[in-house]
Amino acid sequence: MLTLNKILEIPCRLPKWKIHGFLRGFTFHSGKQSLHKLVLGIETSCDDTAAAVVDEAGNILGEALHSQTEVHLKTGGIIPSVAQRLHRENIEQIVKETLSASGITPKELSAIATTVKPGLALSLGVGLEYSLQLVKQYKKPFIPIHHMEAHALTIRITNKVEFPFLVLLVSGGHCLLAVVQGVSDFLLLGKSLDIAPGDLLDKVARRLSLVKHPTYSTMSGGKAIEHLAKQGNRLHFDFRHPLHYCRNCDFSFAGLQSAVDRIITQKEKEEGIEKGQILSCAADIAAAVQHTVASHIAKRTHRAILFCQQRGFLTPSNAILVASGGVASNLYIRRTLEIITKATNCILLCPPLKFCTDNGIMIAWNGIERLYAGLGILHNVDGVRYEPKCPLGVDISKQVGEAAIKVPSVKI
Ligand code: KG4
Ligand code: ZN
């Protein structure tokens, strides 16, 4: 069984850009031609301009990424027009770097795969426009990618995970639990009714003015909270757990955000400091918020596991929970999930940290998966559009709510 230590070790063992062999034992037997499938993946759905070339065995031939985090931290959040400008300024260079690190020419590509949904309209537009130019210039098939499907399938680059498996996707824009039955076959068990956990953590970090602290000034909000929380005592604050009365797999983080906001305002008054200065109890608040987020995510995931076991989606021989997305790079949250998977005889698998946040590798890999499954490969790109809002899979969250599974209490 994969232990937590092993899970946490994975990122350290991965070389920076080129990973060979150890990845997965894919067996494609469709002839000599199939041995050299190479897909260029392009990602611009939010605030990272990223690209990668991946082959059918999961070897990453080259990758490049330009993060806009530092710019958006300064403006206090993502301004879509700024994100669009930065994508425009960087996309050509990022793709060039990727191809040159890969040592291949565009002519050698089997296809180009690009995130077209969901995401920020202005950001998606840049990636799609640039990709379609390449597609037309080099006469390559185009594979439109669903950003969340790509996050969900990333684990299959590093681990031999068979369908079906359960996936928890937690990021700055999304929060959902789904059964992955196939490359493009998802059952949605539950999602956030309001904001995503990454959005909450970004807002709390901003409200705590962590950007003014040299240690945290360049970190994403979630990462800053994780680091600060290590010095805090979570027991100094007690936030109510969201939706504890609803026996479903939906999430909510907006109420927690308001509660944290109220506490910060109260503490600012007590300490006699102005908005914008850092509170003496900031680490305790970070620890308590992180714990409440982790417990809420764990509880909903626990119910999803029990539902999947009840319905036969997870069996004793194939009981895997995959956690991915930017927030899944949080080690406290991973540890909490491991407690749940141990209690339910499941195995927790998380992609290496750098594969959890947005990247081009996951998009290229989704292209490879689709190429082999023969799904969504376009030879004519007329009418291809981006879709800022696009749900994932078939929504069965009503059935999950009707099952009203009581989750046994587990000490976290
Ligand atoms: O998946 P991602 O890169 O982009 C989206 O699709 O949203 O996730 C970004 C989010 C941000 O909200 C960021 O604060 C959060 O993931 N994040 C973290 C950590 N690293 C990034 N949240 C908690 N702990 C972390 N270590
Ligand atoms: Zn993402």
Side-chain angles (χ1 to χ4, degrees):
M1 195 160 120
L2 200 65
T3 64
L4 178 66
N5 276 347
K6 279 191 187 140
I7 293 167
L8 301 183
E9 259 170 41
I10 289 172
C12 317
R13 284 197 269 121
L14 289 171
K16 200 154 189 275
W17 65 273
K18 191 157 181 164
I19 304 160
H20 276 294
F22 116 99
L23 292 168
R24 44 175 282 136
F26 245 156
T27 42
F28 294 122
H29 298 294
S30 41
K32 206 174 168 193
Q33 245 190 342
S34 69
L35 290 173
H36 299 290
K37 297 276 185 236
L38 296 173
V39 172
L40 168 67
I42 297 180
E43 159 65 32
T44 64
S45 69
C46 189
D47 58 349
D48 290 304
T49 316
V53 173
V54 174
D55 74 8
E56 75 266 32
N59 296 309
I60 300 154
L61 275 69
E63 63 148 327
L65 185 145
H66 174 266
S67 167
Q68 304 177 358
T69 302
E70 284 190 37
V71 175
H72 299 310
L73 279 172
K74 283 194 191 112
T75 52
I78 298 175
I79 300 170
S81 57
V82 174
Q84 180 190 43
R85 176 174 57 75
L86 292 170
H87 282 307
R88 280 204 178 123
E89 283 171 11
N90 291 288
I91 191 156
E92 189 165 357
Q93 182 58 24
I94 287 297
V95 171
K96 257 192 193 156
E97 273 178 37
T98 299
L99 289 170
S100 119
S102 312
I104 63 150
T105 62
K107 277 188 187 158
E108 293 170 83
L109 291 168
S110 314
I112 295 171
T114 302
T115 308
V116 300
K117 60 192 173 184
L120 298 173
L122 294 180
S123 296
L124 289 167
V126 178
L128 180 58
E129 194 186 339
Y130 185 79
S131 302
L132 292 185
Q133 261 176 40
L134 287 181
V135 160
K136 286 176 186 160
Q137 186 179 349
Y138 295 100
K139 301 191 174 40
K140 295 291 169 187
F142 181 61
I143 309 180
I145 302 294
H146 189 300
H147 182 82
M148 304 314 287
E149 290 184 6
H151 269 306
L153 296 176
T154 304
I155 194 69
R156 282 162 53 89
I157 307 177
T158 50
N159 297 69
K160 199 167 183 299
V161 180
E162 304 292 344
F163 300 120
F165 61 89
L166 177 63
V167 73
L168 165 75
L169 296 178
V170 276
S171 69
H174 300 274
C175 181
L176 59 88
L177 279 156
V179 180
V180 188
Q181 302 198 105
V183 171
S184 175
D185 183 1
F186 289 70
L187 298 175
L188 185 67
L189 304 178
K191 62 178 186 326
S192 177
L193 303 176
D194 38 62
I195 59 172
D199 192 10
L200 161 76
L201 296 172
D202 290 342
K203 284 179 168 133
V204 172
R206 215 176 298 146
R207 187 67 186 79
L208 287 171
S209 306
L210 299 188
V211 73
K212 298 202 173 141
H213 191 295
T215 312
Y216 308 111
S217 61
T218 57
M219 290 181 190
S220 69
K223 195 170 174 189
I225 294 286
E226 180 178 19
H227 282 254
L228 181 63
K230 285 180 192 154
Q231 297 152 36
N233 184 342
R234 69 173 177 83
L235 299 173
H236 287 179
F237 292 95
D238 187 16
F239 295 114
R240 256 232 307 253
H241 287 232
L243 300 179
H244 57 92
Y245 47 85
C246 293
R247 286 192 188 168
N248 58 27
C249 289
D250 287 334
F251 302 81
S252 169
F253 298 94
L256 179 57
Q257 191 215 318
S258 308
V260 179
D261 212 51
R262 277 196 300 274
I263 283 284
I264 296 175
T265 306
Q266 184 195 323
K267 289 287 161 193
E268 280 169 349
K269 274 191 194 137
E270 282 174 24
E271 290 190 15
I273 66 166
E274 298 287 318
K275 207 170 173 172
Q277 289 176 288
I278 296 177
L279 284 169
S280 65
C281 58
D284 296 338
I285 293 176
V289 171
Q290 177 177 254
H291 178 74
T292 312
V293 167
S295 308
H296 180 43
I297 290 173
K299 191 98 181 168
R300 314 319 268 186
T301 306
H302 194 163
R303 180 170 289 114
I305 292 174
L306 296 178
F307 178 83
C308 288
Q309 288 175 334
Q310 205 180 74
R311 302 292 160 108
F313 295 124
L314 297 182
T315 57
S317 61
N318 190 34
I320 290 182
L321 167 69
V322 170
S324 192
V327 177
S329 59
N330 182 297
L331 300 186
Y332 186 88
I333 293 175
R334 285 189 182 193
R335 266 180 226 121
T336 312
L337 289 171
E338 238 232 341
I339 295 170
I340 300 302
T341 48
K342 269 201 180 126
T344 49
N345 295 319
C346 289
I347 294 173
L348 172 66
L349 294 177
C350 303
L353 297 187
K354 71 174 243 173
F355 291 11
C356 276
T357 46
D358 290 351
N359 61 80
I361 299 161
M362 68 182 197
I363 307 304
W365 176 250
N366 202 175
I368 290 278
E369 294 255 33
R370 283 183 164 272
L371 211 51
Y372 273 93
L375 288 167
I377 304 144
L378 306 181
H379 296 277
N380 178 348
V381 291
D382 293 348
V384 174
R385 302 274 180 275
Y386 57 80
E387 292 173 61
K389 286 201 186 317
C390 182
L392 179 79
V394 176
D395 188 347
I396 62 160
S397 56
K398 202 160 167 262
Q399 283 179 41
V400 177
E402 281 162 5
I405 296 171
K406 185 170 172 5
V407 173
S409 99
V410 174
K411 190 162 170 22
I412 286 168

